[in-house]
Amino acid sequence: MDKFYTVDICGRKEDLPVLPLPSCVNICFFNLHGDVDLTEHCAKHLAERIAKHEPDVLITAESKGLQLTHCVARCLGQKHYGVARKSKKLYMQDGISVDAKTITTGEIQHLYLSARDVDLLRGKRVAIVDDVISTGAANAALEQLVEKAGGKVVCRAFVLAEGDAKDRADIEYLAAIPLL
């Protein structure tokens, strides 16, 4: 990788590799997997922004949002959070699902929520947590899951807002990155 985009995430500079998508758009690739310090840094700052919305519970989609949401939940003193899975697991036969088309793959993605997580969200104030928001399709699918489960989305929080997502008034984010 020859090209990088440097982003400042609340005082921490990260060099993100610039990668091409099949759609001929280049993205600044952000990856929290395996980076404890970066994940903890982002979680601390996101938790501060999320707290003012007073959510009862958090939800994320697997996979890159998992460790971030885990750390945010710990910062907020929450013992449980919901996880929307991208494939239906054996224990999810009595859960719910929705579909979304994402910019990263350009394909329809299915999101599944277990009955346990449906119960966790029902009647609750819910904050959506994820690493990056771009077109908002994955976020919209998570919102549909929350509504289907009987919860109410009170906050949408992301580490990075990509492209035009930075102009959305209905999200919290720590830094913006361009589509190149």
Side-chain angles (χ1 to χ4, degrees), residues 9-10 15 19 26 30 34 42 47 51 59 89 93-94 103 105 117 135 142 148 164 168 176:
I9 304 171
C10 298
D15 292 326
L19 303 175
N26 291 326
F30 181 64
C42 294
I59 188 172
K89 307 300 179 195
Q93 300 309 311
D94 53 354
I103 188 174
T105 63
D117 284 344
T135 65
L142 281 172
K148 220 173 178 181
D164 292 339
R168 290 181 56 165

Side-chain angles (χ1 to χ4, degrees), residues 8 11 24-25 29-31 40 49-50 54 57 68 71-72 78-79 112 114 136-138 142 144 146 160 165 170 176:
D8 184 324
C24 297
V25 171
F29 183 67
F30 181 64
N31 186 8
E40 293 286 347
R49 294 181 187 212
I50 292 169
E54 301 178 349
V57 67
L68 175 65
C71 293
V72 171
Q78 295 185 0
K79 295 188 183 283
Y112 301 90
S114 70
L142 281 172
Q144 288 174 13
V146 170
L160 300 174
D170 66 333

Side-chain angles (χ1 to χ4, degrees), residues 78-165:
Q78 295 185 0
K79 295 188 183 283
H80 301 280
Y81 55 92
V83 179
R85 305 292 304 260
K86 294 180 181 177
S87 62
K88 191 173 187 178
K89 307 300 179 195
L90 184 60
Y91 66 90
M92 303 177 93
Q93 300 309 311
D94 53 354
I96 60 175
S97 67
V98 296
D99 298 331
K101 184 174 182 179
T102 64
I103 188 174
T104 310
T105 63
E107 297 175 4
I108 297 294
Q109 187 177 72
H110 308 285
L111 291 179
Y112 301 90
L113 201 60
S114 70
R116 177 197 167 277
D117 284 344
V118 169
D119 289 342
L120 181 67
L121 301 177
R122 186 176 297 116
K124 301 288 179 36
R125 296 170 51 83
V126 181
I128 293 172
V129 180
D130 212 345
D131 60 338
V132 179
I133 184 169
S134 188
T135 65
N139 176 69
L142 281 172
E143 287 197 43
Q144 288 174 13
L145 275 175
V146 170
E147 289 171 13
K148 220 173 178 181
K152 178 183 178 190
V153 175
V154 296
C155 180
R156 299 151 194 86
F158 307 89
V159 175
L160 300 174
E162 184 176 60
D164 292 339

Side-chain angles (χ1 to χ4, degrees), residues 45-81:
H45 290 282
L46 265 187
E48 291 169 357
R49 294 181 187 212
I50 292 169
K52 66 184 179 186
H53 298 277
E54 301 178 349
D56 301 313
V57 67
L58 310 174
I59 188 172
T60 193
E62 69 175 354
S63 81
K64 290 195 297 181
L66 280 172
Q67 67 265 24
L68 175 65
T69 305
H70 180 92
C71 293
V72 171
R74 186 180 60 239
C75 289
L76 295 174
Q78 295 185 0
K79 295 188 183 283
H80 301 280
Y81 55 92

